[in-house]
Amino acid sequence: APGGRPPQPVDARLGHPGLECLADVAGEARLHQALRRCWHPVCRVDDLQDRPLPATLLDEQLVVVRLGSEIAAFPDLCVHRGTALSLGWVDDGSQPAPDGSGTVGEPCLVCAYHGWSYDTDGRLVGVQDYENAYRPPFDKSEWGLIEVAQLANYRGTIWATWDADAPGFEDYLGEGRFALDLALGPWDGADGET
């Protein structure tokens, strides 16, 4: 291929029998980069109960969580030891930490492995035995989660994009909003629509 390496053969089982498929690695990378700028559905609001919810945005595992009245989404990975945060729990802010230390005082996502706690912005707000186990104590502000760039709650569905510069969700929909409204709206007229 001009300007790059030649396409690589792909397992023939993925293509038509008897034909050799070629993978356009550069094209796949361009497509993935373009899709990162788009909005994608990740879950329904009704799926968000009192536990973290695993979800996928493109090929990346997320955890989506309701913390008080806020909904947040992060990569499904605790920065401490790499445990899936979707295995953890939601603390309403009133529960003492697993080591018996004080409460965080705000809703947070708690990792199931060592109890590290994160707020709606992904800031690390609670660490078990912080004063004694970490000598000298580290700067918690350097150990936060990476937030999904933008999150939208639209007609009972949660949408996300990795692109902080993408247009807002409703602007992104443009005239396509009508079709999405038809798909997501009730069919019985309960919301005043026909």
Side-chain angles (χ1 to χ4, degrees):
R5 52 177 241 218
Q8 301 297 308
V10 174
D11 188 330
R13 292 172 295 176
L14 301 176
H16 297 288
L19 296 178
E20 182 176 28
C21 297
L22 297 177
D24 180 355
V25 176
E28 289 289 326
R30 286 190 304 272
L31 175 61
H32 190 266
Q33 190 60 34
L35 289 172
R36 288 180 69 83
R37 292 190 295 264
C38 299
W39 284 87
H40 302 274
V42 292
C43 69
R44 296 176 316 143
V45 172
D46 291 344
D47 295 335
L48 295 172
Q49 302 299 322
D50 59 349
R51 298 198 50 80
L53 178 72
T56 303
L57 178 55
L58 295 174
D59 60 349
E60 298 182 46
Q61 298 302 305
L62 295 181
V63 60
V64 184
V65 63
R66 181 187 304 270
L67 298 173
S69 63
E70 302 279 327
I71 296 174
F74 310 100
D76 193 9
L77 189 72
C78 180
V79 296
H80 182 224
R81 295 286 185 218
T83 300
L85 289 167
S86 58
L87 299 174
W89 65 90
V90 173
D91 174 3
D92 67 2
S94 65
Q95 302 172 18
D99 67 351
S101 61
T103 64
V104 175
E106 63 182 308
C108 58
L109 171 60
V110 182
C111 177
Y113 192 38
H114 285 117
W116 282 32
S117 305
Y118 304 91
D119 70 6
T120 56
D121 295 322
R123 287 186 300 261
L124 178 61
V125 294
V127 175
Q128 283 194 59
D129 202 23
Y130 178 67
E131 298 298 326
N132 297 316
Y134 300 95
R135 295 273 180 206
F138 61 90
D139 183 357
K140 287 192 260 184
S141 70
E142 295 177 4
W143 286 81
L145 302 174
I146 298 168
E147 270 190 286
V148 168
Q150 295 187 61
L151 204 60
N153 179 346
Y154 187 78
R155 297 193 74 135
T157 56
I158 302 299
W159 296 73
T161 178
W162 286 115
D163 188 354
D165 297 324
F169 182 70
E170 292 192 32
D171 290 336
Y172 175 80
L173 286 178
E175 293 179 16
R177 178 179 176 175
F178 174 76
L180 189 59
D181 286 346
L182 285 176
L184 297 176
W187 289 78
D188 62 2
D191 65 351
E193 297 179 15
T194 55

